[in-house]
Amino acid sequence: MSRRTPRVLTISLALALVASGCGELKDLPTAPGGGTEPPDPTATFSRVQSEIFTPTCARVGCHDAFGAQQGLVLAAGSSYGNLVNVKSTESSLDRVEPGSPQASYLYIKITGSAGLTGDRMPLGLAPLDDAQLKLVSDWIRRGAPND
């Protein structure tokens, strides 16, 4: 028996396991909303506004009409026009690039992903939970429609 036989058997066994469904790529963990499943159709801008921006971001001194950190107002009626296809003041990316959370600086800021300048948002509060991150990601993946 040659020295290569055990290696060939190991590779063959690994390929057989993958082919039988063990370890398929779709089973690997991914970032919220980063999987291959289609985005949640209920992930709407109105939900992002009412569940995240209004209670968390548009607070006095943060992204309200008076504080407007980085010139960004996230109050209802102003936020959409300040986000979608608008260049970030901290990055060369748009704040929201429809269809691509990873190319949206808003998503980078709330996830703390690579490319972040400054602090992760929301500043001074607990990070958004997985369901909130998935909501934002799915809304962006849907093309960031204004509903």
Side-chain angles (χ1 to χ4, degrees):
M1 184 182 270
S2 76
R3 301 182 98 186
R4 294 181 149 211
T5 303
R7 185 174 184 179
V8 170
L9 288 175
T10 302
I11 293 170
S12 297
L13 178 59
L15 289 173
L17 288 172
V18 170
S20 69
C22 177
E24 292 178 9
L25 289 178
K26 68 178 182 176
D27 295 332
L28 295 175
T30 59
T36 57
E37 74 281 349
D40 179 354
T42 69
T44 61
F45 178 72
S46 59
R47 278 191 60 207
V48 172
Q49 183 68 54
S50 67
E51 296 176 27
I52 299 171
F53 294 158
T54 297
T56 307
C57 309
R59 297 177 299 124
V60 174
C62 292
H63 296 287
D64 65 320
F66 302 106
Q69 297 298 310
Q70 299 298 320
L72 177 57
V73 176
L74 292 177
S78 299
S79 54
Y80 189 87
N82 289 324
L83 288 172
V84 179
N85 295 314
V86 175
K87 289 287 179 216
S88 167
T89 60
E90 293 184 326
S91 166
S92 62
L93 299 174
D94 282 350
R95 288 173 170 161
V96 172
E97 178 65 36
S100 181
Q102 292 74 20
S104 298
Y105 196 64
L106 170 74
Y107 192 71
I108 291 169
K109 281 296 268 193
I110 63 174
T111 60
S113 301
L116 173 68
T117 299
D119 297 308
R120 181 177 178 176
M121 293 292 123
L123 187 62
L125 298 174
L128 299 179
D129 64 33
D130 286 348
Q132 291 169 313
L133 294 175
K134 185 173 183 335
L135 171 61
V136 174
S137 175
D138 282 355
W139 167 64
I140 295 170
R141 290 175 60 214
R142 290 184 59 236
N146 188 4
D147 62 343

PDB file of all heavy atoms in Angstrom, residues 57-81:
ATOM      1  N   CYS A  57     -32.518  55.967  17.175  1.00  0.00           N
ATOM      2  CA  CYS A  57     -31.558  56.848  16.507  1.00  0.00           C
ATOM      3  C   CYS A  57     -31.948  58.330  16.527  1.00  0.00           C
ATOM      4  O   CYS A  57     -31.080  59.198  16.626  1.00  0.00           O
ATOM      5  CB  CYS A  57     -31.387  56.416  15.051  1.00  0.00           C
ATOM      6  SG  CYS A  57     -31.023  54.667  14.847  1.00  0.00           S
ATOM      7  N   ALA A  58     -33.216  58.627  16.409  1.00  0.00           N
ATOM      8  CA  ALA A  58     -33.684  60.016  16.301  1.00  0.00           C
ATOM      9  C   ALA A  58     -33.887  60.647  17.676  1.00  0.00           C
ATOM     10  O   ALA A  58     -34.735  61.502  17.853  1.00  0.00           O
ATOM     11  CB  ALA A  58     -34.968  60.070  15.474  1.00  0.00           C
ATOM     12  N   ARG A  59     -33.079  60.237  18.627  1.00  0.00           N
ATOM     13  CA  ARG A  59     -33.150  60.783  19.986  1.00  0.00           C
ATOM     14  C   ARG A  59     -32.477  62.160  20.027  1.00  0.00           C
ATOM     15  O   ARG A  59     -31.611  62.462  19.200  1.00  0.00           O
ATOM     16  CB  ARG A  59     -32.453  59.842  20.971  1.00  0.00           C
ATOM     17  CG  ARG A  59     -33.100  58.481  21.061  1.00  0.00           C
ATOM     18  CD  ARG A  59     -32.365  57.517  21.988  1.00  0.00           C
ATOM     19  NE  ARG A  59     -30.997  57.272  21.527  1.00  0.00           N
ATOM     20  CZ  ARG A  59     -29.911  57.475  22.266  1.00  0.00           C
ATOM     21  NH1 ARG A  59     -29.999  57.917  23.489  1.00  0.00           N
ATOM     22  NH2 ARG A  59     -28.715  57.239  21.781  1.00  0.00           N
ATOM     23  N   VAL A  60     -32.846  62.948  21.016  1.00  0.00           N
ATOM     24  CA  VAL A  60     -32.267  64.280  21.193  1.00  0.00           C
ATOM     25  C   VAL A  60     -30.751  64.164  21.312  1.00  0.00           C
ATOM     26  O   VAL A  60     -30.233  63.361  22.078  1.00  0.00           O
ATOM     27  CB  VAL A  60     -32.867  64.967  22.444  1.00  0.00           C
ATOM     28  CG1 VAL A  60     -32.158  66.288  22.719  1.00  0.00           C
ATOM     29  CG2 VAL A  60     -34.355  65.182  22.262  1.00  0.00           C
ATOM     30  N   GLY A  61     -30.065  64.958  20.508  1.00  0.00           N
ATOM     31  CA  GLY A  61     -28.605  64.976  20.521  1.00  0.00           C
ATOM     32  C   GLY A  61     -27.951  63.962  19.616  1.00  0.00           C
ATOM     33  O   GLY A  61     -26.735  63.959  19.464  1.00  0.00           O
ATOM     34  N   CYS A  62     -28.731  63.091  19.035  1.00  0.00           N
ATOM     35  CA  CYS A  62     -28.156  62.079  18.129  1.00  0.00           C
ATOM     36  C   CYS A  62     -28.517  62.429  16.690  1.00  0.00           C
ATOM     37  O   CYS A  62     -27.903  63.299  16.105  1.00  0.00           O
ATOM     38  CB  CYS A  62     -28.650  60.683  18.509  1.00  0.00           C
ATOM     39  SG  CYS A  62     -28.001  60.131  20.112  1.00  0.00           S
ATOM     40  N   HIS A  63     -29.521  61.777  16.144  1.00  0.00           N
ATOM     41  CA  HIS A  63     -29.910  62.025  14.755  1.00  0.00           C
ATOM     42  C   HIS A  63     -31.310  62.632  14.674  1.00  0.00           C
ATOM     43  O   HIS A  63     -32.092  62.296  13.787  1.00  0.00           O
ATOM     44  CB  HIS A  63     -29.794  60.733  13.935  1.00  0.00           C
ATOM     45  CG  HIS A  63     -28.396  60.233  13.831  1.00  0.00           C
ATOM     46  ND1 HIS A  63     -27.446  60.842  13.044  1.00  0.00           N
ATOM     47  CD2 HIS A  63     -27.765  59.200  14.443  1.00  0.00           C
ATOM     48  CE1 HIS A  63     -26.297  60.194  13.170  1.00  0.00           C
ATOM     49  NE2 HIS A  63     -26.466  59.192  14.009  1.00  0.00           N
ATOM     50  N   ASP A  64     -31.587  63.547  15.614  1.00  0.00           N
ATOM     51  CA  ASP A  64     -32.827  64.315  15.572  1.00  0.00           C
ATOM     52  C   ASP A  64     -32.584  65.571  14.732  1.00  0.00           C
ATOM     53  O   ASP A  64     -31.462  65.826  14.294  1.00  0.00           O
ATOM     54  CB  ASP A  64     -33.295  64.676  16.984  1.00  0.00           C
ATOM     55  CG  ASP A  64     -32.334  65.611  17.689  1.00  0.00           C
ATOM     56  OD1 ASP A  64     -31.100  65.430  17.559  1.00  0.00           O
ATOM     57  OD2 ASP A  64     -32.796  66.540  18.381  1.00  0.00           O
ATOM     58  N   ALA A  65     -33.618  66.355  14.519  1.00  0.00           N
ATOM     59  CA  ALA A  65     -33.501  67.540  13.673  1.00  0.00           C
ATOM     60  C   ALA A  65     -32.541  68.580  14.249  1.00  0.00           C
ATOM     61  O   ALA A  65     -31.969  69.376  13.498  1.00  0.00           O
ATOM     62  CB  ALA A  65     -34.876  68.158  13.453  1.00  0.00           C
ATOM     63  N   PHE A  66     -32.336  68.580  15.560  1.00  0.00           N
ATOM     64  CA  PHE A  66     -31.483  69.588  16.185  1.00  0.00           C
ATOM     65  C   PHE A  66     -30.041  69.111  16.353  1.00  0.00           C
ATOM     66  O   PHE A  66     -29.117  69.889  16.203  1.00  0.00           O
ATOM     67  CB  PHE A  66     -32.072  70.013  17.534  1.00  0.00           C
ATOM     68  CG  PHE A  66     -33.472  70.546  17.404  1.00  0.00           C
ATOM     69  CD1 PHE A  66     -34.552  69.792  17.822  1.00  0.00           C
ATOM     70  CD2 PHE A  66     -33.711  71.782  16.825  1.00  0.00           C
ATOM     71  CE1 PHE A  66     -35.842  70.263  17.674  1.00  0.00           C
ATOM     72  CE2 PHE A  66     -34.992  72.270  16.675  1.00  0.00           C
ATOM     73  CZ  PHE A  66     -36.068  71.506  17.104  1.00  0.00           C
ATOM     74  N   GLY A  67     -29.848  67.845  16.671  1.00  0.00           N
ATOM     75  CA  GLY A  67     -28.500  67.312  16.865  1.00  0.00           C
ATOM     76  C   GLY A  67     -27.846  66.946  15.556  1.00  0.00           C
ATOM     77  O   GLY A  67     -26.728  67.333  15.269  1.00  0.00           O
ATOM     78  N   ALA A  68     -28.538  66.191  14.757  1.00  0.00           N
ATOM     79  CA  ALA A  68     -28.123  65.774  13.415  1.00  0.00           C
ATOM     80  C   ALA A  68     -26.633  65.453  13.304  1.00  0.00           C
ATOM     81  O   ALA A  68     -25.912  66.057  12.522  1.00  0.00           O
ATOM     82  CB  ALA A  68     -28.540  66.809  12.382  1.00  0.00           C
ATOM     83  N   GLN A  69     -26.179  64.497  14.103  1.00  0.00           N
ATOM     84  CA  GLN A  69     -24.780  64.088  14.030  1.00  0.00           C
ATOM     85  C   GLN A  69     -24.438  63.678  12.593  1.00  0.00           C
ATOM     86  O   GLN A  69     -25.202  63.000  11.922  1.00  0.00           O
ATOM     87  CB  GLN A  69     -24.530  62.919  14.993  1.00  0.00           C
ATOM     88  CG  GLN A  69     -24.757  63.282  16.446  1.00  0.00           C
ATOM     89  CD  GLN A  69     -23.811  64.363  16.921  1.00  0.00           C
ATOM     90  OE1 GLN A  69     -22.604  64.270  16.719  1.00  0.00           O
ATOM     91  NE2 GLN A  69     -24.356  65.392  17.546  1.00  0.00           N
ATOM     92  N   GLN A  70     -23.283  64.116  12.121  1.00  0.00           N
ATOM     93  CA  GLN A  70     -22.819  63.879  10.751  1.00  0.00           C
ATOM     94  C   GLN A  70     -23.823  64.403   9.714  1.00  0.00           C
ATOM     95  O   GLN A  70     -23.858  63.932   8.573  1.00  0.00           O
ATOM     96  CB  GLN A  70     -22.529  62.390  10.506  1.00  0.00           C
ATOM     97  CG  GLN A  70     -21.448  61.818  11.393  1.00  0.00           C
ATOM     98  CD  GLN A  70     -20.101  62.483  11.174  1.00  0.00           C
ATOM     99  OE1 GLN A  70     -19.720  62.789  10.044  1.00  0.00           O
ATOM    100  NE2 GLN A  70     -19.370  62.712  12.240  1.00  0.00           N
ATOM    101  N   GLY A  71     -24.661  65.352  10.123  1.00  0.00           N
ATOM    102  CA  GLY A  71     -25.645  65.924   9.211  1.00  0.00           C
ATOM    103  C   GLY A  71     -26.769  64.957   8.864  1.00  0.00           C
ATOM    104  O   GLY A  71     -27.488  65.169   7.894  1.00  0.00           O
ATOM    105  N   LEU A  72     -26.925  63.913   9.671  1.00  0.00           N
ATOM    106  CA  LEU A  72     -27.898  62.865   9.380  1.00  0.00           C
ATOM    107  C   LEU A  72     -29.087  62.945  10.330  1.00  0.00           C
ATOM    108  O   LEU A  72     -28.951  62.689  11.520  1.00  0.00           O
ATOM    109  CB  LEU A  72     -27.239  61.490   9.474  1.00  0.00           C
ATOM    110  CG  LEU A  72     -28.136  60.268   9.255  1.00  0.00           C
ATOM    111  CD1 LEU A  72     -28.830  60.321   7.901  1.00  0.00           C
ATOM    112  CD2 LEU A  72     -27.325  58.993   9.398  1.00  0.00           C
ATOM    113  N   VAL A  73     -30.240  63.301   9.786  1.00  0.00           N
ATOM    114  CA  VAL A  73     -31.488  63.314  10.552  1.00  0.00           C
ATOM    115  C   VAL A  73     -32.233  62.022  10.230  1.00  0.00           C
ATOM    116  O   VAL A  73     -32.488  61.718   9.066  1.00  0.00           O
ATOM    117  CB  VAL A  73     -32.363  64.542  10.197  1.00  0.00           C
ATOM    118  CG1 VAL A  73     -33.694  64.497  10.927  1.00  0.00           C
ATOM    119  CG2 VAL A  73     -31.618  65.840  10.492  1.00  0.00           C
ATOM    120  N   LEU A  74     -32.560  61.263  11.274  1.00  0.00           N
ATOM    121  CA  LEU A  74     -33.287  60.003  11.089  1.00  0.00           C
ATOM    122  C   LEU A  74     -34.698  60.075  11.649  1.00  0.00           C
ATOM    123  O   LEU A  74     -35.315  59.050  11.930  1.00  0.00           O
ATOM    124  CB  LEU A  74     -32.502  58.844  11.717  1.00  0.00           C
ATOM    125  CG  LEU A  74     -31.188  58.511  11.020  1.00  0.00           C
ATOM    126  CD1 LEU A  74     -30.446  57.409  11.748  1.00  0.00           C
ATOM    127  CD2 LEU A  74     -31.426  58.126   9.561  1.00  0.00           C
ATOM    128  N   ALA A  75     -35.212  61.272  11.781  1.00  0.00           N
ATOM    129  CA  ALA A  75     -36.596  61.463  12.225  1.00  0.00           C
ATOM    130  C   ALA A  75     -37.533  61.114  11.078  1.00  0.00           C
ATOM    131  O   ALA A  75     -37.190  61.259   9.895  1.00  0.00           O
ATOM    132  CB  ALA A  75     -36.808  62.905  12.667  1.00  0.00           C
ATOM    133  N   ALA A  76     -38.727  60.650  11.436  1.00  0.00           N
ATOM    134  CA  ALA A  76     -39.743  60.311  10.424  1.00  0.00           C
ATOM    135  C   ALA A  76     -39.964  61.516   9.513  1.00  0.00           C
ATOM    136  O   ALA A  76     -40.006  62.656   9.957  1.00  0.00           O
ATOM    137  CB  ALA A  76     -41.042  59.908  11.106  1.00  0.00           C
ATOM    138  N   GLY A  77     -40.073  61.242   8.234  1.00  0.00           N
ATOM    139  CA  GLY A  77     -40.288  62.286   7.244  1.00  0.00           C
ATOM    140  C   GLY A  77     -39.000  62.833   6.650  1.00  0.00           C
ATOM    141  O   GLY A  77     -39.030  63.459   5.597  1.00  0.00           O
ATOM    142  N   SER A  78     -37.877  62.601   7.310  1.00  0.00           N
ATOM    143  CA  SER A  78     -36.583  63.089   6.818  1.00  0.00           C
ATOM    144  C   SER A  78     -35.601  61.976   6.500  1.00  0.00           C
ATOM    145  O   SER A  78     -34.729  62.132   5.654  1.00  0.00           O
ATOM    146  CB  SER A  78     -35.931  64.006   7.859  1.00  0.00           C
ATOM    147  OG  SER A  78     -36.721  65.121   8.131  1.00  0.00           O
ATOM    148  N   SER A  79     -35.724  60.864   7.188  1.00  0.00           N
ATOM    149  CA  SER A  79     -34.674  59.845   7.150  1.00  0.00           C
ATOM    150  C   SER A  79     -34.448  59.237   5.773  1.00  0.00           C
ATOM    151  O   SER A  79     -33.294  59.086   5.352  1.00  0.00           O
ATOM    152  CB  SER A  79     -34.942  58.756   8.187  1.00  0.00           C
ATOM    153  OG  SER A  79     -36.215  58.216   8.024  1.00  0.00           O
ATOM    154  N   TYR A  80     -35.501  58.881   5.060  1.00  0.00           N
ATOM    155  CA  TYR A  80     -35.309  58.194   3.783  1.00  0.00           C
ATOM    156  C   TYR A  80     -34.472  59.045   2.821  1.00  0.00           C
ATOM    157  O   TYR A  80     -33.497  58.557   2.249  1.00  0.00           O
ATOM    158  CB  TYR A  80     -36.653  57.835   3.132  1.00  0.00           C
ATOM    159  CG  TYR A  80     -36.482  56.944   1.927  1.00  0.00           C
ATOM    160  CD1 TYR A  80     -36.422  55.568   2.072  1.00  0.00           C
ATOM    161  CD2 TYR A  80     -36.339  57.471   0.647  1.00  0.00           C
ATOM    162  CE1 TYR A  80     -36.230  54.728   0.972  1.00  0.00           C
ATOM    163  CE2 TYR A  80     -36.147  56.653  -0.449  1.00  0.00           C
ATOM    164  CZ  TYR A  80     -36.096  55.290  -0.291  1.00  0.00           C
ATOM    165  OH  TYR A  80     -35.899  54.466  -1.361  1.00  0.00           O
ATOM    166  N   GLY A  81     -34.810  60.292   2.680  1.00  0.00           N
ATOM    167  CA  GLY A  81     -34.079  61.179   1.767  1.00  0.00           C
ATOM    168  C   GLY A  81     -32.657  61.461   2.204  1.00  0.00           C
ATOM    169  O   GLY A  81     -31.824  61.875   1.393  1.00  0.00           O
TER     170      GLY A  81
END
